[in-house]
């Protein structure tokens, strides 16, 4: 996820662009850049790293002009570098882009064949040359942009300027947010309203396929077919701080609600429905090398380790290969029996966790092939791995990992599909069936999020309790661990996750009426056993909070609180069970007045041992 801004007016553009980008840094910060129409030429300035580096460069050599665009990057294609930083330019235009162009490779090939020269590794630069291709004499910039967007597949929010139409900026969106704002003498474009709040509160949110022709005094909207459209004018009443969180009170809640989009973005462009295959170009191993893998390791920390535990169930079921999962801080000091040609998977949101990095280095030394599931493009773990599978969920600001976790699970589903097809344990029909189920997940997640009020009601009943127990079986045992971790790290309540079948081996001694027990009870082959665990707990007077499959009636009569989960394949249920547990932890923490986004004693990335 990146941040884009644009300005057309009477004032110097640079201060307005930089001020807007500063409000968007939460969307990405591995590089930044601006382009300004200075006289008759568009000048571009870009810097790697935080926005401050760009500001320093602009102080050393000013850019002057009243029309400009700006960008703060969260890399998806092409490592963080000045060369890959936006804005990108072609002969006829300069643009900034947020989103993922799924078919950028074939488009790039075609444009190179037609003589276009590329200077970056990004998918964005393809759009700049595509616009240029349509921007022939007599063609308006808006028309060229519209024609180009009809060729691309994927998601985009664009702001485009050209020396050939000096007072005009074109904005277009599909799959990524874009908002335009106005004053009497200027117009603004941004990924997020927060970037323009200092100048205007009169905004219009573009809708799917919209394109805006923006001048200092007018904004004209058309759809992707070129027909004029009308969109509602909105008066923003938020204060700036609330706006940075998209109107949510905390980044954690905002990121919980981003999950339908981030799950989709992690899948986007990575599968071919016709062949029922996942297409993972950066995975680093050839199908032949994958076919030769004897054993799979998954090593990580914290929430990422929980994702690894889910991965074990997935890979053993879909790929029929033994999977060994380890906590990184344990693995690295055990002189582990890693064999040459083992597949060693590490999972890390930050890509900088010291224990996970050390584990990956140890595995490499022992001859294993390392593939990492990482969120930060160009992070140390990504750079040191043989292959990488990025979770395209954008920066995760809340210390408690939420959207990164479900993106990690999504990446694991894609990897399991890839391996299953490569190793022949999944036929074409199986692959297509998996893809059908996976592409429906964001819709089901949206449905669960839409019932947040039910979770708030549960949180209100139990937020004063001092201990919680979370029980799950099979592929949802790791989700019991994750639900407990979420609750303890944001609300400071002691919570434990346990395999439900383990209750009688000790933990049941803890049970009393003061200990709420959360039970995850999907309608799978372990359902009856989970119900008996629930009855054991109920018989000892503990309040039972049951998360059950849609349509389940029985448990509703026994449990003290019930939340139903939409029906999906048992192997996909972890993503759906996670969402209400994240909401439960969040709302309990808020009710207890905890510092939800920065819980005490925690850091977003544990770069020390
Ligand atoms: C997750 O809610 C925690 N903040 C923490 O357990 C985190 O998952 C762990 O530190 C691993 O971080 P990583 O994914 O960046 O490697």
């Amino acid at each position: 996820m990146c941040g884009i801004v644009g300005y057309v007016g009477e004032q110097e553009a640079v201060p307005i662009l930089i001020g807007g980008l500063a409000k968007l840094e939460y969307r990405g910060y591995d590089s930044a850049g601006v382009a300004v129409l200075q006289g008759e030429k568009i000048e571009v300035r870009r810097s790697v790293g935080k926005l401050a580096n760009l500001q320093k460069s602009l102080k050393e050599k000013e850019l002057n002009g009243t029309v400009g665009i700006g960008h703060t990057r969260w890399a998806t294609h092409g490592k963080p570098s000045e060369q890959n930083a936006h804005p990108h330019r072609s002969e006829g235009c300069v643009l900034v882009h947020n989103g993922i162009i799924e078919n950028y490779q074939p488009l790039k090939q075609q444009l190179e064949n037609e003589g276009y020269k590329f200077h970056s590794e990004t998918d964005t630069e393809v759009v700049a040359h595509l616009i240029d291709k349509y921007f022939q004499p007599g063609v308006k910039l808006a028309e060229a942009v519209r024609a180009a967007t009809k060729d691309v597949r994927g998601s985009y929010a664009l702001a485009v300027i050209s020396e050939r139409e000096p007072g005009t900026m074109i904005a277009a969106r599909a799959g990524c947010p874009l908002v335009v704002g106005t004053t009497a003498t200027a117009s603004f474009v941004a990924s997020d309203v927060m970037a323009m709040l200092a100048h205007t509160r009169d905004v219009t949110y573009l809708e799917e396929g919209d394109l805006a022709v923006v001048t200092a005094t007018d904004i004209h909207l058309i759809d992707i077919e070129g027909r004029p459209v009308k969109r509602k004018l909105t008066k923003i009443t938020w204060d700036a701080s609330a706006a940075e969180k998209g109107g949510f009170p905390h980044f954690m809640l905002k990121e919980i609600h981003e999950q339908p989009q981030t799950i989709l973005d992690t899948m986007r462009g990575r599968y071919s429905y016709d062949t029922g295959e996942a297409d993972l170009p950066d995975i680093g191993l050839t199908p032949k090398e994958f076919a030769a893998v004897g054993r799979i390791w998954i090593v990580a920390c914290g929430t990422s380790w929980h994702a690894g535990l889910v991965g074990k169930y997935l890979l053993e079921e879909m790929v029929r290969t033994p999977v060994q999962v380890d906590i990184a801080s344990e693995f690295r000091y055990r002189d582990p029996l890693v064999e040459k040609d083992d597949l060693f998977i590490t999972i890390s949101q930050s890509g900088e966790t010291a224990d996970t990095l050390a584990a990956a280095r140890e595995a490499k030394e022992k001859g294993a092939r390392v593939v990492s599931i990482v969120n930060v493009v160009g992070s140390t773990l990504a750079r040191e791995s043989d292959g990488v599978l990025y979770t395209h969920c954008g920066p995760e600001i809340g210390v408690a990992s939420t959207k990164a976790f479900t993106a990690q699970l999504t990446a694991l589903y894609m990897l399991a599909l890839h391996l299953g097809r490569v190793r022949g344990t999944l036929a074409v029909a199986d692959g297509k069936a998996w893809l059908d189920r996976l592409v429906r997940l964001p819709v089901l997640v949206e449905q669960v999020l839409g019932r947040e009020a039910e979770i708030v009601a549960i949180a209100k009943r139990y937020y004063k309790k001092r201990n919680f127990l979370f029980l799950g079986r099979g592929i949802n045992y790791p989700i019991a661990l994750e639900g407990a971790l979420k609750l303890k790290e944001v609300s400071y309540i002691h919570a434990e996750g346990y395999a439900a079948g383990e209750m009688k081996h000790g933990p049941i001694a803890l049970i009393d009426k003061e200990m709420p027990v959360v039970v995850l009870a999907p309608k799978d082959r372990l359902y009856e056993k989970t119900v008996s665990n629930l009855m054991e707990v109920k018989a000892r007077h503990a309040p039972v909070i049951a998360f059950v499959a849609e349509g389940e009636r029985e448990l509703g009569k026994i449990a003290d609180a019930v939340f139903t989960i939409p029906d999906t394949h048992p192997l996909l249920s972890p993503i759906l069970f996670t969402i209400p547990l994240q909401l439960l932890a969040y709302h309990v923490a808020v009710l207890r007045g905890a510092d939800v986004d920065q819980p005490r004693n925690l850091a977003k990335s544990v770069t020390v041992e």
Side-chain angles (χ1 to χ4, degrees):
M1 142 170 31
C2 308
I4 71 174
V5 291
Y7 172 76
V8 185
E10 297 171 336
Q11 297 173 43
E12 279 303 316
V14 166
I16 293 172
L17 298 175
I18 295 297
L21 291 179
K23 297 292 186 191
L24 297 182
E25 264 203 305
Y26 76 89
R27 298 176 65 86
Y29 34 71
D30 57 44
S31 59
V34 292
V36 173
L37 181 64
Q38 186 163 261
E40 291 178 4
K41 290 289 289 166
I42 293 177
E43 298 297 336
V44 175
R45 192 76 58 78
R46 307 179 297 185
S47 300
V48 182
K50 295 252 178 190
L51 185 60
N53 298 344
L54 177 64
Q55 286 174 286
K56 187 163 165 286
S57 159
L58 289 163
K59 271 209 176 62
E60 285 157 9
K61 188 164 176 268
E62 279 193 2
L63 287 183
N64 299 107
T66 63
V67 179
I69 53 179
H71 186 273
T72 182
R73 187 171 183 239
W74 181 265
T76 54
H77 294 78
K79 62 184 176 307
S81 66
E82 184 169 338
Q83 175 207 28
N84 289 331
H86 301 210
H88 287 284
R89 76 184 316 156
S90 62
E91 273 302 301
C93 73
V94 179
L95 62 75
V96 288
H97 164 235
N98 173 30
I100 297 170
I101 305 299
E102 295 174 16
N103 60 335
Y104 83 96
Q105 282 156 328
L107 287 174
K108 182 168 182 174
Q109 189 57 65
Q110 181 192 331
L111 288 162
E112 283 175 330
N113 296 345
E114 293 167 8
Y116 289 90
K117 296 280 174 272
F118 284 79
H119 308 289
S120 80
E121 305 159 317
T122 66
D123 55 337
T124 300
E125 190 184 355
V126 168
V127 182
H129 293 301
L130 205 51
I131 292 169
D132 187 43
K133 176 179 165 185
Y134 288 110
F135 197 19
Q136 297 302 321
V139 175
K140 300 291 282 174
L141 180 58
E143 275 313 296
V145 173
R146 191 170 69 81
T149 57
K150 291 187 83 165
D151 285 355
V152 306
R153 212 172 60 243
S155 59
Y156 58 81
L158 297 170
V160 189
I161 55 177
S162 168
E163 289 154 359
R164 289 159 45 186
E165 295 190 14
T168 301
M169 171 169 47
I170 306 299
R173 71 146 287 176
C176 291
L178 202 57
V179 57
V180 294
T182 53
T183 65
T185 56
S187 298
F188 304 80
V189 169
S191 308
D192 183 323
V193 70
M194 204 262 309
M196 58 180 75
L197 274 190
H199 309 286
T200 180
R201 288 177 176 270
D202 296 323
V203 304
T204 301
Y205 289 91
L206 297 194
E207 295 185 16
E208 279 305 278
D210 284 0
L211 183 148
V213 183
V214 181
T215 64
T217 54
D218 179 50
I219 294 177
H220 172 62
L221 298 184
I222 58 175
D223 66 15
I224 195 147
E225 297 311 326
R227 298 175 296 237
V229 288
K230 278 248 169 287
R231 297 298 177 218
K232 187 164 78 70
L233 184 63
T234 302
K235 171 72 87 178
I236 297 297
T237 55
W238 294 329
D239 65 28
S241 144
E244 189 174 7
K245 302 176 188 94
F248 288 97
H250 297 101
F251 277 113
M252 183 178 172
L253 188 60
K254 176 172 177 281
E255 288 157 3
I256 289 172
H257 282 269
E258 283 177 353
Q259 291 176 107
Q261 183 68 42
T262 50
I263 289 168
L264 186 62
D265 285 347
T266 301
M267 279 189 259
R268 200 185 282 281
R270 286 175 158 166
Y271 59 89
S272 145
Y273 190 73
D274 301 344
T275 58
E277 285 173 329
D279 174 20
L280 309 176
D282 306 325
I283 202 70
L285 278 76
T286 62
K288 194 159 162 288
E289 287 167 324
F290 271 128
V293 163
R295 181 172 48 166
I296 299 173
W297 295 77
I298 306 180
V299 172
C301 299
T303 284
S304 301
W305 172 61
H306 296 154
L309 290 171
V310 173
K312 173 183 172 67
Y313 288 91
L314 281 182
L315 289 163
E316 289 190 347
E317 176 88 13
M318 293 167 72
V319 187
R320 311 306 296 158
T321 304
V323 179
Q324 159 96 22
V325 182
D326 247 319
I327 290 171
S329 54
E330 287 299 306
F331 173 87
R332 62 182 292 201
Y333 296 113
R334 208 184 51 233
D335 188 15
L337 301 173
V338 178
E339 304 287 328
K340 190 172 169 321
D341 293 338
D342 280 356
L343 173 59
F344 193 87
I345 299 171
T346 51
I347 303 176
S348 176
Q349 187 286 128
S350 61
E352 302 299 344
T353 300
D355 287 323
T356 308
L357 275 173
R361 289 167 184 158
E362 170 104 12
K364 271 194 103 163
E365 263 165 45
K366 292 177 183 275
R369 305 298 301 276
V370 175
V371 170
S372 292
I373 296 176
V374 180
N375 193 39
V376 181
V377 174
S379 55
T380 307
L381 188 59
R383 279 184 283 108
E384 294 188 5
S385 299
D386 298 302
V388 67
L389 181 44
Y390 284 119
T391 51
H392 292 155
C393 68
E396 187 175 63
I397 311 298
V399 166
S401 188
T402 51
K403 63 176 183 174
F405 178 64
T406 51
Q408 289 165 351
L409 296 187
T410 305
L412 283 163
Y413 288 125
M414 301 305 284
L415 182 62
L417 174 58
H418 180 70
L419 283 173
R421 296 283 292 112
V422 159
R423 293 167 68 94
T425 53
L426 293 176
V428 174
D430 301 322
K432 289 186 173 181
W434 275 110
L435 287 172
D436 279 336
R437 296 176 192 125
L438 283 166
V439 295
R440 259 185 58 72
L441 268 181
V443 171
L444 300 179
V445 169
E446 200 68 72
Q447 285 174 11
V448 174
L449 291 169
R451 296 170 35 223
E452 182 171 359
E454 296 176 45
I455 299 295
V456 175
I458 295 173
K460 283 179 177 165
R461 289 172 62 184
Y462 300 108
Y463 76 97
K464 289 186 177 150
K465 297 300 182 186
R466 297 166 55 79
N467 298 285
F468 271 72
L469 197 57
F470 288 72
L471 302 181
R473 277 181 181 267
I475 197 167
N476 283 298
Y477 161 47
I479 305 308
L481 297 176
E482 175 58 11
L485 175 63
K486 285 282 102 40
L487 184 67
K488 73 180 104 177
E489 67 176 329
V490 293
S491 72
Y492 314 147
I493 291 174
H494 171 251
E496 272 192 86
Y498 245 93
E502 271 296 285
M503 281 299 294
K504 50 192 169 304
H505 300 285
I508 202 159
L510 288 172
I511 301 296
D512 63 22
K513 65 180 176 29
E514 288 309 313
M515 177 183 266
V517 178
V518 173
V519 181
L520 308 182
K523 201 81 176 170
D524 58 13
R525 55 196 166 82
L526 301 169
Y527 176 71
E528 301 306 332
K529 299 196 179 304
T530 305
V531 172
S532 2
N533 296 134
L534 188 149
M535 304 297 280
E536 287 162 16
V537 166
K538 196 72 205 118
R540 288 156 178 82
H541 314 300
V544 172
I545 305 165
F547 290 82
V548 303
E550 225 158 39
E552 150 60 36
R553 294 276 171 268
E554 275 319 294
L555 291 186
K557 297 179 196 127
I558 308 163
D560 299 84
V562 177
F563 185 90
T564 58
I565 304 289
D567 189 32
T568 185
H569 189 283
L571 289 183
L572 297 181
S573 62
I575 282 198
L576 296 179
F577 276 93
T578 298
I579 306 295
L581 298 187
Q582 294 170 344
L583 290 170
L584 181 63
Y586 171 79
H587 285 292
V588 166
V590 168
L591 287 164
R592 293 170 67 95
D595 183 354
V596 173
D597 281 334
Q598 271 99 26
R600 66 187 181 199
N601 312 334
L602 293 183
K604 184 58 190 168
S605 175
V606 183
T607 55
V608 295
E609 295 191 17

